[in-house]
Amino acid sequence: MSRVLHVPFTGADREFDDIGQEMMAAIEKVFRSGQVMNGESVPRLEQSLAELSGRRHARVVNSGTDAVYFALVAAGIGPGDEVLLGDVSFVATLHAIVRTGATPVFVDVTDEGTIDLDLAEEAVGPRSKALVVVQLYGRMAAPDPVEKFARAHGLALVEDAAQSLGAEVNGRRSGTLGLASCHSFDAMKVIPAPGTGGVVLTDDPAVAESVEQLRHWGFADAEKRHVVRLGHNSQMSSLTAAVLAVKLAQEERWLKQRRATASTYSAGFGDLGCGLPEHGSLRENIFHKYVLRTPKRDELAAALRASGVETLVHYPYALHTLPFLERHPHRVVGDGRAKKHAAEVISLPIHPYLTDEEIAHVVTSTREALLAG
């Protein structure tokens, strides 16, 4: 009986085989410093992230969800306001908006899954105060039209760049759009934390100060003597920051490996008409996910599972269809492409530690499944 090759969706164990000694050394250094919280690794990581994005300020927090929420709060968003967003994203984007008390306004998406700015014109109303633009799957949307739209309508622009750390379009890095930008470091991201984490990036010192207060229980000073607002405990531990710094040093190498895998995939699927990601310059798409679109999604997922290939769906819902919204005010502009997107997308394994044999197996298995009927 022939062996079924197992192709994992993520490669955390292989990553540890590669750079585990460096990570453990960084962890030991933190423990020996006695500063497992608020140690020197935190501001060092913030400086590195600010430099990578080209922003003046970076504030790391406990999660990407908190990052988007804090950015919106810093922008003054609250009850009575409306926030525009595309109808395709991870639910965390929506959670952040709802947590502020604001009303989400779901705008249908383009064929690429990003917000349709033409429809967004119809969505703007007297209570519209912010736009959250989501950089989906590792590919950055063209910044100029988004920023122009936000300026024209007086909207605070928050970039949910959770999936696009390091991406770039026409010389603009992901993490530079609007009032504030947010990255995530959860276990599925290109630079994954040993758990979770996020960062708010901004050029506005008032936004940076607001996030500083929000992440530290509402304290207005480092000595934690004066509480000036309702805050949260959303700190990133020194241990997490130290490990992320080790991984951030691998970013260019890992990107090239992801890119090579994506190129092999696209060459193997190019004749099948299954909605391939576009390829441009090296950083135009960092391939946080490699996503195909096919009406035979469920059949493909079952066939790949039988072949030993792990897949996931990002995302199996249009945001406006989530049931908890029955208890929360919201508006929907356009209805169709987001639902179609949710019914057709499937994500293939793409991480820096896939072997040539595994990549070839994914290509062969995917081709066979899509051509089978």
Side-chain angles (χ1 to χ4, degrees):
M1 183 176 178
S2 61
R3 174 177 68 102
V4 174
L5 184 65
H6 176 238
V7 184
F9 195 82
T10 60
D13 54 340
R14 302 177 190 188
E15 176 191 279
F16 189 79
D17 289 339
D18 182 21
I19 60 170
Q21 288 187 342
E22 294 174 64
M23 290 192 287
M24 295 306 293
I27 290 171
E28 181 179 359
K29 184 177 179 181
V30 171
F31 274 118
R32 292 192 180 281
S33 74
Q35 294 181 306
V36 295
M37 293 297 295
N38 302 312
E40 62 179 15
S41 61
V42 173
R44 280 207 310 267
L45 177 65
E46 290 177 332
Q47 181 178 353
S48 296
L49 292 169
E51 290 173 354
L52 177 64
S53 68
R55 289 284 206 180
R56 292 192 180 95
H57 307 283
R59 295 292 183 269
V60 293
V61 294
N62 185 57
S63 69
T65 311
D66 277 358
V68 178
Y69 168 60
F70 291 163
L72 289 168
V73 172
I77 303 304
D81 297 331
E82 290 187 342
V83 178
L84 278 63
L85 75 160
D87 207 9
V88 172
S89 181
F90 184 50
V91 69
T93 310
L94 174 58
H95 284 169
I97 294 170
V98 171
R99 282 171 67 186
T100 70
T103 298
V105 179
F106 301 101
V107 180
D108 209 0
V109 295
T110 66
D111 289 338
E112 288 75 38
T114 55
I115 188 169
D116 185 326
L117 291 179
D118 291 332
L119 283 175
E121 291 282 351
E122 302 175 25
V124 175
R127 295 194 295 134
S128 300
K129 293 295 187 294
L131 166 65
V132 177
V133 61
V134 178
Q135 311 290 18
L136 199 63
Y137 303 143
R139 186 164 179 251
M140 184 181 172
D144 290 347
V146 173
E147 290 182 324
K148 181 179 178 181
F149 179 90
R151 283 194 303 270
H153 296 286
L155 303 176
L157 176 58
V158 172
E159 181 188 16
D160 182 346
Q163 303 181 24
S164 59
L165 176 67
E168 181 178 298
V169 171
N170 298 328
R172 284 285 301 276
R173 277 287 175 95
S174 176
T176 63
L177 271 67
L179 180 68
S181 303
C182 308
H183 290 311
S184 169
F185 305 107
D186 77 22
M188 300 292 284
K189 296 300 186 290
V190 172
I191 305 295
T196 186
V199 64
V200 179
L201 300 158
T202 185
D203 293 321
D204 189 326
V207 171
E209 177 60 25
S210 179
V211 175
E212 182 70 32
Q213 294 171 2
L214 287 165
R215 71 177 179 175
H216 282 135
W217 299 285
F219 285 105
D221 52 78
E223 291 77 24
K224 296 182 176 58
R225 294 178 180 176
H226 301 98
V227 178
V228 295
R229 67 191 302 171
L230 178 65
H232 306 262
N233 180 10
S234 185
Q235 302 174 78
M236 178 181 285
S237 75
S238 306
L239 295 164
T240 298
V243 171
L244 282 172
V246 172
K247 295 187 177 188
L248 199 61
Q250 311 298 320
E251 189 256 354
E252 186 79 24
R253 177 171 71 98
W254 285 351
L255 172 57
K256 289 178 179 177
Q257 290 168 323
R258 283 176 173 272
R259 182 78 171 193
T261 300
S263 295
T264 301
Y265 281 170
S266 293
F269 309 141
D271 61 332
L272 300 182
C274 48
L276 301 175
E278 292 186 17
H279 293 250
S281 61
L282 175 64
R283 289 188 174 273
E284 190 167 317
N285 192 335
I286 62 165
F287 293 101
H288 163 63
K289 295 287 183 288
Y290 189 95
V291 178
L292 299 180
R293 287 189 62 175
T294 170
K296 298 165 59 178
R297 188 264 305 285
D298 294 340
E299 296 93 327
L300 175 59
L304 290 177
R305 184 166 55 250
S307 297
V309 178
E310 294 182 6
T311 64
L312 291 173
V313 174
H314 300 94
Y315 299 96
Y317 45 75
L319 286 174
H320 81 269
T321 65
L322 294 174
F324 72 86
L325 286 169
E326 295 174 3
R327 302 184 301 277
H328 193 88
H330 62 281
R331 290 199 290 122
V332 181
V333 178
D335 183 10
R337 282 177 299 207
K339 285 184 175 180
K340 189 171 188 293
H341 188 277
E344 294 182 348
V345 290
I346 183 170
S347 300
L348 302 181
I350 184 163
H351 57 81
Y353 298 101
L354 290 169
T355 67
D356 290 344
E357 181 186 19
E358 289 169 337
I359 295 167
H361 182 61
V362 173
V363 171
T364 300
S365 300
T366 302
R367 285 190 62 84
E368 289 177 352
L370 288 175
L371 292 170

